[in-house]
Amino acid sequence: MPLETPEWDKVTEWVREYLLDSTDPYTRLRHAGFPPEFVGGLPLTAVSSRNARVLVQASRRSIDAQVRLLRALVLDDRLATLPYVRDAEEYLAQLERDAEAHASQDVFRTHLLRGAEVFLDREDLRETLRAFVADSDKSVLLVDGEPYSGRSYTYTFIRHLSQHEGFRPARVLLGPTMTATKVVRRLAAFVSDPRAGVVPPVPTDLDDPLPALDEAVHWVVLQATGADDLFWFVLDDCDRLDPGSDVWDLIGQLALALYEHAPVHRAQAPRLVLLGYGEAMRQLPYELRHSLCRDRARTAGPDDVRAFFDRYVRERPPPSVSALAAEEREAALAGLVDVAVEEVLAAADGTGSTDGAGGTDGTGGDGGDGSGSYMRRLGTAVEGAVRAYRALR
């Protein structure tokens, strides 16, 4: 399970106070077990707070480096005697589980993401994302589909992949009141260091907005390209934008700016993901025609739920079932699958009692994948069934 931003903020503070509270940070890190080639590539100074941010940012590029950093903190004599060490040990355990999953399975085929969080079906999306990650010439991913079909659900899987593929998703939710200026400011908050006090040149009502918007877009892309993190800009609920919104112009300029930066800064160039962006919407610039990947979401159904539980219960049979003879074991597992599927589908339809399935009718919400949508209820019901199944163990 990836650490969230507040958790990384804690880690950065621990690094500053305990790991890098030294007049010779390079030697300190080498003594803490960091590889010499890794330490030698860090632009460290005499300012421990800056050094802490540099070390954390460099470590977040891979799961193995994240584990190495948390392990160094846990083993630090000064932190080991403080209550904070329990949080550090918990973070380390989470990252070690991620590292084990990364080494032992195809992360593009994962269905159980973290804890009991489930990502159902979307077989086409999984392979589209595999190709998108592998092909540095692709810069924009567009995800279409009917309302409530799981387009925003895509972001759940993108967050999962980000931990294993070394990028950082920067998500902005769109809507009828969203403006290009607001989007730029939110993207700028992801890519810039707030301590630096630098703000993007966003347009105002007093200026000609189009030249200023173009300048702001290139500023954000340049900041992202020069950052330690590899960014994926995720604009969600594109279909909720007003037809006359200036965000449409922003999307086209942002996609073009990413396309233009890619050949020069291929390894560090940001990517753009547009969720809810249909083929009938504003066409992207013609130059991007070979840089696009597309996926179409669809609502998961009974066959998808059964396929999930068929795989899940056979990979994790309860001890009481594992001890049975082969024929009896197969019958018992099939029975567990039948019960789980029946309960989940009833809960998703609002007629069952699976824990956490909710009781909304799926008609209201946010115009995207709202809390009352069938896909949300289905996913929540599957997660409730997974928790109930684990209790059998």
Side-chain angles (χ1 to χ4, degrees), residues 63-91:
I63 298 177
D64 289 341
Q66 293 173 33
V67 169
R68 183 176 62 211
L69 175 61
L70 266 296
R71 190 169 291 152
L73 281 169
V74 168
L75 294 176
D76 186 274
D77 292 338
R78 289 173 293 180
L79 183 62
T81 61
L82 298 175
Y84 307 133
V85 74
R86 288 192 290 272
D87 289 338
E89 289 171 343
E90 180 182 338
Y91 297 168

Side-chain angles (χ1 to χ4, degrees), residues 296-312:
R296 184 170 180 81
R298 67 172 183 84
T299 303
D303 290 344
D304 303 310
V305 175
R306 181 168 294 278
F308 170 80
F309 282 108
D310 268 334
R311 178 172 50 250
Y312 182 75

Side-chain angles (χ1 to χ4, degrees), residues 117-132:
E117 186 176 9
V118 170
F119 190 79
L120 291 171
D121 187 40
R122 302 298 293 277
E123 302 304 316
D124 290 342
L125 171 70
R126 295 168 186 274
E127 295 310 313
T128 298
L129 280 168
R130 188 195 302 275
F132 187 64

Side-chain angles (χ1 to χ4, degrees), residues 181-202:
T181 297
K182 290 179 181 178
V183 175
V184 169
R185 284 178 174 155
R186 293 187 184 181
L187 292 177
F190 283 107
V191 304
S192 59
D193 184 352
R195 301 172 185 84
V198 179
V199 295
V202 296

Side-chain angles (χ1 to χ4, degrees), residues 339-362 374 377-378 381:
V339 170
V341 172
E342 180 180 354
E343 288 291 317
V344 163
L345 294 179
D349 288 333
T351 60
S353 59
T354 300
D355 177 40
T360 54
D361 62 6
Y374 180 79
R377 297 202 309 275
L378 184 66

